[in-house]
PDB file of all heavy atoms in Angstrom:
ATOM      1  N   GLY A  58     -22.347   1.932   9.202  1.00 98.00           N
ATOM      2  CA  GLY A  58     -23.617   1.668   8.551  1.00 98.00           C
ATOM      3  C   GLY A  58     -23.433   0.822   7.278  1.00 98.00           C
ATOM      4  O   GLY A  58     -24.282  -0.074   6.976  1.00 98.00           O
ATOM      5  N   GLY A  63     -23.926  -4.666   4.834  1.00 95.00           N
ATOM      6  CA  GLY A  63     -23.327  -5.850   4.235  1.00 95.00           C
ATOM      7  C   GLY A  63     -23.491  -7.116   4.979  1.00 95.00           C
ATOM      8  O   GLY A  63     -23.355  -8.171   4.370  1.00 95.00           O
ATOM      9  N   LEU A  90     -18.680   2.495  19.237  1.00 98.00           N
ATOM     10  CA  LEU A  90     -19.471   2.835  18.111  1.00 98.00           C
ATOM     11  C   LEU A  90     -19.972   1.552  17.408  1.00 98.00           C
ATOM     12  O   LEU A  90     -21.265   1.475  17.136  1.00 98.00           O
ATOM     13  CB  LEU A  90     -18.676   3.681  17.119  1.00 98.00           C
ATOM     14  CG  LEU A  90     -19.410   4.048  15.817  1.00 98.00           C
ATOM     15  CD1 LEU A  90     -19.938   5.469  15.935  1.00 98.00           C
ATOM     16  CD2 LEU A  90     -18.589   3.935  14.608  1.00 98.00           C
ATOM     17  N   GLU A 111      -7.956  -0.744  29.545  1.00 96.00           N
ATOM     18  CA  GLU A 111      -8.599  -0.174  30.705  1.00 96.00           C
ATOM     19  C   GLU A 111      -9.531   0.946  30.335  1.00 96.00           C
ATOM     20  O   GLU A 111     -10.680   1.121  30.828  1.00 96.00           O
ATOM     21  CB  GLU A 111      -7.575   0.314  31.768  1.00 96.00           C
ATOM     22  CG  GLU A 111      -6.878  -0.793  32.471  1.00 96.00           C
ATOM     23  CD  GLU A 111      -5.730  -0.259  33.360  1.00 96.00           C
ATOM     24  OE1 GLU A 111      -5.623   0.918  33.602  1.00 96.00           O
ATOM     25  OE2 GLU A 111      -4.987  -1.132  33.883  1.00 96.00           O
ATOM     26  N   LEU A 165      -3.345 -10.970   7.740  1.00 98.00           N
ATOM     27  CA  LEU A 165      -4.683 -11.087   7.128  1.00 98.00           C
ATOM     28  C   LEU A 165      -5.094 -12.580   7.134  1.00 98.00           C
ATOM     29  O   LEU A 165      -6.256 -12.836   7.332  1.00 98.00           O
ATOM     30  CB  LEU A 165      -4.700 -10.581   5.718  1.00 98.00           C
ATOM     31  CG  LEU A 165      -4.394  -9.076   5.544  1.00 98.00           C
ATOM     32  CD1 LEU A 165      -4.371  -8.731   4.032  1.00 98.00           C
ATOM     33  CD2 LEU A 165      -5.511  -8.260   6.216  1.00 98.00           C
ATOM     34  N   ARG A 183      -4.142   2.977   4.639  1.00 86.00           N
ATOM     35  CA  ARG A 183      -3.722   4.033   3.740  1.00 86.00           C
ATOM     36  C   ARG A 183      -4.876   5.045   3.513  1.00 86.00           C
ATOM     37  O   ARG A 183      -5.516   5.499   4.372  1.00 86.00           O
ATOM     38  CB  ARG A 183      -3.147   3.472   2.435  1.00 86.00           C
ATOM     39  CG  ARG A 183      -1.979   2.496   2.677  1.00 86.00           C
ATOM     40  CD  ARG A 183      -0.719   3.249   3.124  1.00 86.00           C
ATOM     41  NE  ARG A 183      -0.173   4.097   2.148  1.00 86.00           N
ATOM     42  CZ  ARG A 183       1.040   4.548   2.191  1.00 86.00           C
ATOM     43  NH1 ARG A 183       1.787   4.269   3.205  1.00 86.00           N
ATOM     44  NH2 ARG A 183       1.575   5.276   1.205  1.00 86.00           N
ATOM     45  N   LEU A 185      -5.531   8.819   1.680  1.00 94.00           N
ATOM     46  CA  LEU A 185      -4.746   9.999   1.256  1.00 94.00           C
ATOM     47  C   LEU A 185      -4.386  10.721   2.527  1.00 94.00           C
ATOM     48  O   LEU A 185      -5.114  10.868   3.410  1.00 94.00           O
ATOM     49  CB  LEU A 185      -5.600  10.957   0.371  1.00 94.00           C
ATOM     50  CG  LEU A 185      -6.087  10.316  -1.030  1.00 94.00           C
ATOM     51  CD1 LEU A 185      -6.963  11.326  -1.760  1.00 94.00           C
ATOM     52  CD2 LEU A 185      -4.864  10.018  -1.817  1.00 94.00           C
ATOM     53  N   VAL A 227       3.307  -6.416  -2.403  1.00 97.00           N
ATOM     54  CA  VAL A 227       2.541  -5.425  -3.162  1.00 97.00           C
ATOM     55  C   VAL A 227       1.247  -5.138  -2.301  1.00 97.00           C
ATOM     56  O   VAL A 227       0.439  -6.093  -2.111  1.00 97.00           O
ATOM     57  CB  VAL A 227       2.170  -5.920  -4.563  1.00 97.00           C
ATOM     58  CG1 VAL A 227       1.291  -4.870  -5.265  1.00 97.00           C
ATOM     59  CG2 VAL A 227       3.507  -6.123  -5.383  1.00 97.00           C
ATOM     60  N   PRO A 231      -7.303  -5.698  -1.700  1.00 98.00           N
ATOM     61  CA  PRO A 231      -8.251  -6.709  -2.126  1.00 98.00           C
ATOM     62  C   PRO A 231      -7.583  -8.042  -2.572  1.00 98.00           C
ATOM     63  O   PRO A 231      -8.033  -9.122  -2.263  1.00 98.00           O
ATOM     64  CB  PRO A 231      -8.916  -6.018  -3.317  1.00 98.00           C
ATOM     65  CG  PRO A 231      -8.863  -4.576  -3.035  1.00 98.00           C
ATOM     66  CD  PRO A 231      -7.480  -4.404  -2.399  1.00 98.00           C
ATOM     67  N   LEU A 239     -10.536 -15.196   1.332  1.00 98.00           N
ATOM     68  CA  LEU A 239     -11.840 -14.433   1.367  1.00 98.00           C
ATOM     69  C   LEU A 239     -12.223 -13.979  -0.010  1.00 98.00           C
ATOM     70  O   LEU A 239     -11.396 -13.865  -0.912  1.00 98.00           O
ATOM     71  CB  LEU A 239     -11.662 -13.213   2.367  1.00 98.00           C
ATOM     72  CG  LEU A 239     -11.147 -13.618   3.820  1.00 98.00           C
ATOM     73  CD1 LEU A 239     -10.998 -12.323   4.611  1.00 98.00           C
ATOM     74  CD2 LEU A 239     -12.130 -14.563   4.491  1.00 98.00           C
ATOM     75  N   ARG A 301      -4.051  30.444  13.469  1.00 97.00           N
ATOM     76  CA  ARG A 301      -4.151  30.940  12.026  1.00 97.00           C
ATOM     77  C   ARG A 301      -5.591  30.534  11.552  1.00 97.00           C
ATOM     78  O   ARG A 301      -6.094  29.421  11.732  1.00 97.00           O
ATOM     79  CB  ARG A 301      -3.096  30.482  11.201  1.00 97.00           C
ATOM     80  CG  ARG A 301      -2.900  29.003  11.107  1.00 97.00           C
ATOM     81  CD  ARG A 301      -1.649  28.690  10.152  1.00 97.00           C
ATOM     82  NE  ARG A 301      -1.643  29.389   8.920  1.00 97.00           N
ATOM     83  CZ  ARG A 301      -0.669  30.074   8.357  1.00 97.00           C
ATOM     84  NH1 ARG A 301       0.515  30.132   9.026  1.00 97.00           N
ATOM     85  NH2 ARG A 301      -0.740  30.629   7.167  1.00 97.00           N
TER      86      ARG A 301
END
Side-chain angles (χ1 to χ4, degrees):
L90 179 100
E111 288 175 10
L165 294 177
R183 301 293 290 196
L185 297 177
V227 175
L239 306 177
R301 57 186 307 134

